[in-house]
Amino acid sequence: REDGRVSSVSVQQLIEQISCMNKAKMIDHVGGVEEGAYEIYNCVEKIIKQDILGCEMTDLEGKDLGNKEDSTAPEEEVFGDVLWDAHDEQEQMEAFQQASNSTCELGFEKYFERLNDLVAAPAPIPPLLVSGGPGSGKSLLLSKWIQLQQKHSPNTLILYHFVGRPMSTSSESALIIKRLTLKLMQHSWLVSPLTFDPAKLLEEFPRWLEKLSARHQGSIIIIIDSIDQIQQAEKHMKWLIDPLPVNVRVIVSVNVETCPQAWRLWPTLHLDPLNSKDVKSLISAECNSANVKLTKEQEKKLERHCRSATTCNALYVTLLGKTIACVGNTGNIDEILQQCCQCQDTVSLYRLVLRSIQESLQSDKEKGLLREMLCVIGVSHNGVSESELMELYPELTSAVLASLLHSLHKMCLLTYGCGLLKFQHLQAWEMVKLEYMEAGENVISAYRQKLVEYFTMQLSQDRVTWRSADELPWLFQQQGDKQKLHKCLLNLFVSQNLYKRGHFAELLSYWQLVGKDKSSMAAEYFDSLKEYEKSSEGEESMICLADLYETLGRFLKDLGLLSQAVAPLQRSLEIRETALDPDHPRVAQSLHQLAGVYVQWKKFGNAEQLYKQALEISENAYGAEHPQVARELDALATLYQKQNKYEQAEQLRKKSFKIRQKAARQKGSLCGFALLRQRALQLEELTLGKDTPDNARTLNELGVLYYLQNNLETAELFLKRSLEMRERVLGSDHPDCAQSLNNLAALYNEKKHYDKAEELYEKALDIRRRALAPDHPSLAYTVKHLAVLYKKMGKLDKAVPLYELAVEIRQKSFGPKHPSVATALVNLAVLYCQMKKQIEALPLYERALKIYEDSFGQMHPRVGETLKNLAVLSYERGDFEKAAELYKRAMEIKEAETLLIGGKATSRHSSSGDTFSLKSALSPNALLEHGQR
């Protein structure tokens, strides 16, 4: 719409159609295509997270409004410290749905009985092997049986994994075991540290299974489909040979030809070829769906043909039915039957299907594009998306692509998984290789090179997505190009993407291929980060840098390189304290990770301090009953347990368990934003109803909700209405009015209406100064944001008293020798330097330096940064000798820090008397009010 009017008749008709639908969301947008796409992305992401996954958002009641990005817990912390990949989970859900897609049961009742007998049999019992030829219906059988079990045995926990193509992510043993372990932990209410070392993960799985199955009230069934497609299946699935826990049953499916010899002794359920009745019903179902009627003679001909083991398996017969149904209304059925009867296996039938699709295409150009599409999908790691195909082949129009995909999907050649196109069955890919790649490895290598160039171009444009991280290193590995693989791994964002999604084993295998041991890999990463830090400027890039340091620290911790993990985690903590705030939730995250290193290092005193500080920040930021708080309680409980402090550990566990139970009950319709959406339905009552403090608070919450959704116009309406109501009911000097003023100011700041924001922040500050204690966090919040706004507007004289007040507030809150005070002093000193008041800045820097040295020790990076600032100040004042001395000291600290990553320097965090302590690094009573620093 433009100026409130719809731009064309066709748009008006579309809007009328949409408004009649229940499950439609309309986004009103005028502007560029990219901006519109971003709006849609945000909308879809929120729907997925809140409505589908039921992710809990931060409770905003009573909170001031500020930095939108930091209003929720970090994504990867949803399952405690466990790194979880939503793509892998989605892929499994889709694989299960696809496997159970057939409407025909194919006489599976006799197999269901056998599977039911396995579940009921007394323990101990080895895994059950479901065997059959390729395309015999193993996945279909297992998925249908899972559905029946879920319906009739709700107390049975069923964990399944459908292995895709060999060498795809779904066939990596470490990822499969990690996923199964995490699913067990979720259902057992257990949050516990989990190793990411692939060898240890596989080794420890039987112990996890024993431990977690003992906590589950009921049976556990683990189903792995196509287990023989797992890379080195026999080696990595040794736990299957061990006796299983009493209440655990395991079912695995294999192809007859590729089943490992040692597993052939297990009880086996072999899928027989389809009988003539099943063949007939399957073909009839396909023909009926296309309104095609076969003659008696044609039916008899099909029956005679489908008698060998290869022509009466489920996939072959399904494909046969689809081929006849496809031609039935337009072509000669007898002719296609004759052609089909010459195909004695599924691969040759697929070839017939592909050639019929080729013949339906209008030009050689389209036939060439079909070939390119299928080949490039085949040589990829996990598939290719539609948009990637169109970027790879600019001549491929969306109309041609849609037509080709419709045919290929309908005829069981291609399917979708996580939005990527991939082959529906292994036989389809085998056929494509025979049809298009007879020249062998050279052709495959050429197509892989095309993908390499495409994803390399993305990296050069700083577009590191999960796709480029998934594909590019794997492609270099397949091409045997170690030099380019090495360079790709040193792209910090590629490695971060893989690690954060839990693809630990994959990342490690790449490094092993380039011939680097763990220590040299750690040193190379740290050097790359230091280089990247030199070009990092501004708050946003510093926050990004802190994330990279944290990822490296966690990766090194998981590798067991504890002394080398400290430096990057410490650096991440320092950056977050400076760029965000000492009481920000991401600081708690850094403290938590650092504490985890000390736990493994058996330095329990250091770990306890850090966990307690992380707990205090989380309680102040999220409230006492948030899952983030439960996470910190669990970590402390585990620590106490290691120290044999069982009573303290038990108290914390109970507290954590109550929080998690409550959060689990709330998830879904009444959690977070869903609650606010429900209140939005009462909008009319709110707007027309009585003026009350509760209604005013709800309007404020709705304003915050729309602000977080980037709907600033609607947010402004609600926040103004809330302010007006509060002024009428509570009086204009009430602290609640200050909250509304503060939120409106933040909104105007976002819209770059700085004059309006200044006026409202000043009013809020005036109210809070009169109503609140001098060291109240809400007062500190407004002071900080108004000071930053003055600085942004160039009103440096007005900013000075507020920066001075920020120092006073921190001194009252934390004491005069706290590092947080030093940070406030440095901020004020920087401001004075901008105003060319070097004399006023000098004592502030010197006092900050003393605090940092006393708190952190002489060789801490924060000390180094302050020395560097003092060196610059001395240089500007003409004292070159002192400047050189200070700069030399700063460089010594920097060099010592660089050495630390190689393990050549002693850690600043030792348990001896000469310790570096974070005992008072954070406020015990800080209340988080999110906002930009």
Side-chain angles (χ1 to χ4, degrees):
R1 304 181 191 195
E2 292 177 21
D3 303 323
R5 293 190 302 277
V6 176
S7 57
S8 71
V9 177
S10 58
V11 172
Q12 181 61 49
Q13 288 170 346
L14 178 67
I15 289 170
E16 284 168 6
Q17 285 177 315
I18 289 171
S19 56
C20 301
M21 296 166 67
N22 284 332
K23 295 184 179 180
K25 170 80 176 169
M26 186 158 60
I27 297 169
D28 199 356
H29 172 74
V30 177
V33 175
E34 284 194 5
E35 194 184 327
Y38 182 70
E39 291 275 337
I40 293 165
Y41 174 86
N42 280 340
C43 176
V44 174
E45 184 184 38
K46 285 186 175 70
I47 290 167
I48 290 167
K49 283 187 178 177
Q50 294 157 30
D51 295 350
I52 299 172
L53 299 178
C55 287
E56 183 172 356
M57 301 299 187
T58 303
D59 185 4
L60 294 155
E61 186 173 322
K63 291 275 163 73
D64 275 342
L65 176 159
N67 189 335
K68 291 170 287 183
E69 287 184 349
D70 296 318
S71 60
T72 60
E75 265 183 63
E76 78 259 18
E77 301 303 339
V78 175
F79 299 102
D81 272 337
V82 168
L83 298 166
W84 186 264
D85 187 2
H87 289 288
D88 291 348
E89 195 54 31
Q90 176 68 14
E91 185 179 45
Q92 283 305 308
M93 289 161 65
E94 289 178 2
F96 172 68
Q97 287 164 359
Q98 185 189 312
S100 57
N101 227 357
S102 173
T103 50
C104 295
E105 294 294 339
L106 302 175
F108 280 164
E109 289 78 8
K110 59 183 178 183
Y111 302 130
F112 290 157
E113 283 177 26
R114 180 76 192 278
L115 291 167
N116 292 337
D117 290 343
L118 168 87
V119 176
I125 187 165
L128 176 73
L129 210 60
V130 175
S131 77
S136 57
K138 300 182 292 295
S139 305
L140 177 61
L141 168 67
L142 291 175
S143 58
K144 291 287 186 185
W145 185 71
I146 289 169
Q147 288 176 331
L148 287 172
Q149 284 293 314
Q150 288 171 335
K151 185 178 176 183
H152 299 303
S153 306
N155 290 335
T156 300
L157 172 60
I158 300 178
L159 306 178
Y160 59 79
H161 189 91
F162 287 81
V163 179
R165 199 176 100 188
M167 294 202 302
S168 67
T169 302
S170 66
S171 69
E172 286 180 15
S173 53
L175 275 179
I176 295 168
I177 294 300
K178 187 196 78 172
R179 182 177 169 270
L180 293 175
T181 308
L182 296 185
K183 291 295 232 181
L184 277 167
M185 287 170 75
Q186 265 183 282
H187 286 278
S188 309
W189 291 94
L190 185 71
V191 177
S192 191
L194 184 67
T195 179
F196 289 101
D197 187 314
K200 284 184 183 172
L201 195 64
L202 295 164
E203 184 188 317
E204 289 177 10
F205 181 67
R207 290 196 287 277
W208 276 111
L209 192 57
E210 186 77 48
K211 183 179 179 180
L212 297 170
S213 63
R215 297 168 70 105
H216 183 71
Q217 302 296 315
S219 299
I220 297 174
I221 301 172
I222 298 174
I223 295 168
I224 304 178
D225 181 49
S226 302
I227 194 169
D228 49 330
Q229 301 294 343
I230 292 173
Q231 297 159 31
Q232 296 180 292
E234 207 170 350
K235 177 186 172 186
H236 294 317
M237 296 287 152
K238 280 181 182 171
W239 60 274
L240 290 169
I241 298 168
D242 298 331
L244 296 165
V246 176
N247 59 334
V248 175
R249 300 289 181 272
V250 175
I251 301 168
V252 296
S253 76
V254 292
N255 278 334
V256 178
E257 301 88 355
T258 53
C259 177
Q261 195 61 40
W263 298 358
R264 292 175 188 261
L265 301 171
W266 294 343
T268 303
L269 173 62
H270 187 75
L271 267 61
D272 300 322
L274 299 182
N275 59 38
S276 56
K277 181 186 168 188
D278 290 333
V279 169
K280 187 177 178 180
S281 67
L282 200 52
I283 291 173
S284 296
E286 292 295 343
C287 289
N288 290 342
S289 67
N291 293 319
V292 172
K293 188 76 177 157
L294 297 177
T295 64
K296 291 284 182 190
E297 187 56 41
Q298 287 166 342
E299 284 179 359
K300 281 180 182 176
K301 190 171 185 179
L302 280 170
E303 194 179 329
R304 284 196 299 273
H305 173 61
C306 297
R307 281 184 177 170
S308 70
T310 54
T311 59
C312 57
N313 75 44
L315 178 57
Y316 183 94
V317 175
T318 303
L319 203 53
L320 186 61
K322 285 182 182 292
T323 307
I324 295 164
C326 194
V327 175
N329 288 320
T330 55
N332 185 331
I333 292 179
D334 287 323
E335 188 183 329
I336 196 70
L337 263 178
Q338 188 61 37
Q339 291 173 356
C340 288
C341 288
Q342 290 168 11
C343 301
Q344 293 301 315
D345 58 37
T346 308
V347 172
S348 56
L349 188 56
Y350 261 129
R351 187 174 257 182
L352 176 67
V353 166
L354 179 62
R355 285 177 179 170
S356 68
I357 293 172
Q358 285 173 330
E359 286 165 16
S360 69
L361 299 176
Q362 295 173 354
S363 66
D364 289 341
K365 181 185 171 184
E366 288 182 7
K367 289 174 185 175
L369 286 169
L370 172 65
R371 173 195 173 120
E372 295 295 302
M373 272 173 54
L374 291 173
C375 291
V376 88
I377 290 167
V379 301
S380 66
H381 187 198
N382 289 313
V384 179
S385 73
E386 289 181 35
S387 59
E388 285 166 354
L389 282 174
M390 292 182 76
E391 286 179 4
L392 280 160
Y393 300 103
E395 67 274 26
L396 180 63
T397 64
S398 53
V400 170
L401 178 63
S403 173
L404 288 172
L405 291 181
H406 174 71
S407 302
L408 294 166
H409 189 264
K410 186 171 72 171
M411 297 309 293
C412 301
L413 271 140
L414 294 183
T415 186
Y416 288 91
C418 285
L420 301 177
L421 290 158
K422 47 186 79 176
F423 286 102
Q424 196 158 329
H425 297 281
L426 209 51
Q427 293 94 318
W429 169 226
E430 285 170 12
M431 177 276 297
V432 167
K433 282 194 284 189
L434 288 170
E435 186 74 3
Y436 292 137
M437 297 179 164
E438 285 182 4
E441 276 302 314
N442 289 342
V443 181
I444 291 174
S445 183
Y447 280 109
R448 282 194 181 133
Q449 189 56 37
K450 189 168 183 70
L451 283 175
V452 163
E453 287 164 9
Y454 171 73
F455 287 113
T456 303
M457 184 185 70
Q458 284 200 349
L459 283 196
S460 68
Q461 297 167 350
D462 290 332
R463 284 171 63 194
V464 179
T465 62
W466 70 278
R467 288 291 298 130
S468 48
D470 262 3
E471 294 290 332
L472 201 50
W474 183 86
L475 287 163
F476 285 137
Q477 183 192 48
Q478 296 304 305
Q479 297 284 68
D481 195 333
K482 293 182 184 181
Q483 193 178 350
K484 285 184 180 172
L485 174 59
H486 189 199
K487 186 182 175 185
C488 180
L489 292 173
L490 287 175
N491 183 313
L492 300 163
F493 294 98
V494 170
S495 296
Q496 182 188 47
N497 193 298
L498 285 170
Y499 174 77
K500 280 201 164 188
R501 288 167 41 231
H503 292 219
F504 186 95
E506 188 183 339
L507 188 53
L508 214 52
S509 70
Y510 293 145
W511 277 104
Q512 285 165 354
L513 185 72
V514 296
K516 299 286 180 181
D517 63 15
K518 292 176 183 179
S519 286
S520 56
M521 175 196 71
E524 285 193 34
Y525 270 139
F526 200 68
D527 290 344
S528 291
L529 260 175
K530 284 290 174 190
E531 204 57 41
Y532 179 75
E533 186 169 354
K534 289 176 186 175
S535 60
S536 296
E537 287 179 4
E539 183 182 321
E540 198 174 320
S541 62
M542 290 307 286
I543 293 167
C544 173
L545 179 67
D547 289 346
L548 288 169
Y549 271 117
E550 185 190 87
T551 302
L552 176 58
R554 292 175 73 171
F555 184 42
L556 299 180
K557 182 185 83 170
D558 290 337
L559 285 169
L561 303 173
L562 302 182
S563 61
Q564 288 165 288
V566 168
L569 288 174
Q570 181 61 46
R571 185 70 190 120
S572 171
L573 173 63
E574 289 155 8
I575 293 168
R576 283 173 176 165
E577 281 185 323
T578 308
L580 295 166
D581 235 7
D583 51 4
H584 194 280
R586 286 195 176 272
V587 172
Q589 188 180 317
S590 288
L591 291 164
H592 180 95
Q593 297 303 336
L594 204 48
V597 174
Y598 289 127
V599 171
Q600 285 189 29
W601 222 345
K602 304 227 173 346
K603 296 187 177 180
F604 298 135
N606 297 42
E608 185 177 354
Q609 280 180 352
L610 298 172
Y611 276 141
K612 281 181 174 176
Q613 288 156 9
L615 176 63
E616 284 163 4
I617 294 172
S618 297
E619 282 180 334
N620 289 324
Y622 300 115
E625 295 191 335
H626 193 276
Q628 283 292 110
V629 174
R631 167 186 175 240
E632 301 304 340
L633 290 168
D634 279 324
L636 259 176
T638 303
L639 177 65
Y640 286 142
Q641 203 164 336
K642 286 179 185 291
Q643 295 172 282
N644 300 326
K645 298 177 181 177
Y646 297 114
E647 199 174 320
Q648 286 168 277
E650 186 58 27
Q651 285 175 351
L652 295 177
R653 287 249 188 262
K654 282 179 181 173
K655 198 173 172 184
S656 163
F657 186 71
K658 281 181 183 173
I659 294 170
R660 291 185 188 281
Q661 267 191 324
K662 189 175 179 183
R665 281 197 297 269
Q666 284 177 342
K667 269 193 177 179
S669 62
L670 284 176
C671 102
F673 287 151
L675 177 60
L676 296 184
R677 282 198 297 275
Q678 188 187 29
R679 289 186 184 176
L681 297 174
Q682 305 158 356
L683 209 52
E684 192 175 350
E685 183 191 331
L686 269 176
T687 313
L688 303 174
K690 294 177 182 176
D691 286 355
T692 66
D694 278 351
N695 279 355
R697 191 185 72 242
T698 303
L699 286 164
N700 179 65
E701 287 173 349
L702 286 165
V704 172
L705 166 65
Y706 282 111
Y707 176 91
L708 291 170
Q709 291 178 328
N710 230 13
N711 189 339
L712 301 184
E713 304 309 318
T714 311
E716 186 178 351
L717 290 172
F718 281 118
L719 292 173
K720 278 183 173 176
R721 176 92 175 89
S722 170
L723 175 61
E724 288 162 7
M725 194 179 285
R726 281 173 165 171
E727 285 178 337
R728 282 197 299 271
V729 175
L730 303 168
S732 58
D733 290 340
H734 195 277
D736 283 4
C737 292
Q739 185 194 52
S740 291
L741 287 163
N742 209 91
N743 288 348
L744 267 171
L747 184 138
Y748 288 133
N749 191 16
E750 179 86 3
K751 293 171 80 172
K752 297 187 169 48
H753 297 171
Y754 297 134
D755 290 336
K756 284 185 180 179
E758 179 186 6
E759 183 188 346
L760 295 173
Y761 271 138
E762 284 174 346
K763 280 186 183 176
L765 179 60
D766 184 51
I767 294 169
R768 285 180 165 173
R769 264 183 156 160
R770 284 183 279 114
L772 303 175
D775 59 348
H776 195 283
S778 292
L779 176 60
Y781 176 90
T782 308
V783 166
K784 178 174 72 176
H785 284 272
L786 183 54
V788 170
L789 182 65
Y790 281 149
K791 197 172 169 187
K792 197 185 287 182
M793 296 170 75
K795 298 183 177 182
L796 303 185
D797 289 328
K798 283 184 126 180
V800 168
L802 292 180
Y803 275 106
E804 288 172 341
L805 182 56
V807 174
E808 282 177 38
I809 291 171
R810 290 196 182 193
Q811 285 183 155
K812 285 173 183 169
S813 298
F814 308 137
K817 295 181 180 178
H818 194 279
S820 179
V821 175
T823 303
L825 289 166
V826 168
N827 289 343
L828 180 56
V830 168
L831 185 66
Y832 278 138
C833 286
Q834 284 181 328
M835 297 169 75
K836 308 296 181 197
K837 294 185 176 181
Q838 279 84 359
I839 295 170
E840 285 89 340
L842 182 62
L844 298 173
Y845 274 134
E846 287 173 340
R847 190 179 155 204
L849 177 64
K850 178 81 170 70
I851 295 170
Y852 283 144
E853 285 179 334
D854 291 346
S855 300
F856 297 149
Q858 298 278 336
M859 297 300 286
H860 192 272
R862 193 72 64 81
V863 173
E865 286 162 16
T866 313
L867 284 167
K868 205 180 338 177
N869 285 339
L870 273 168
V872 171
L873 199 59
S874 300
Y875 186 86
E876 286 174 352
R877 295 179 66 210
D879 192 343
F880 303 127
E881 193 176 330
K882 189 176 181 184
E885 183 192 331
L886 291 166
Y887 191 74
K888 184 185 174 191
R889 268 191 69 197
M891 287 301 99
E892 283 170 0
I893 293 170
K894 196 169 185 67
E895 283 167 19
E897 186 188 6
T898 306
L899 283 173
L900 185 66
I901 191 67
K904 296 171 189 169
T906 55
S907 168
R908 291 187 297 272
H909 293 257
S910 70
S911 54
S912 65
D914 186 22
T915 59
F916 155 62
S917 169
L918 281 175
K919 180 166 58 181
S920 58
L922 293 150
S923 153
N925 301 308
L927 170 68
L928 177 80
E929 299 195 333
H930 297 303
Q932 292 175 342
R933 183 172 173 105

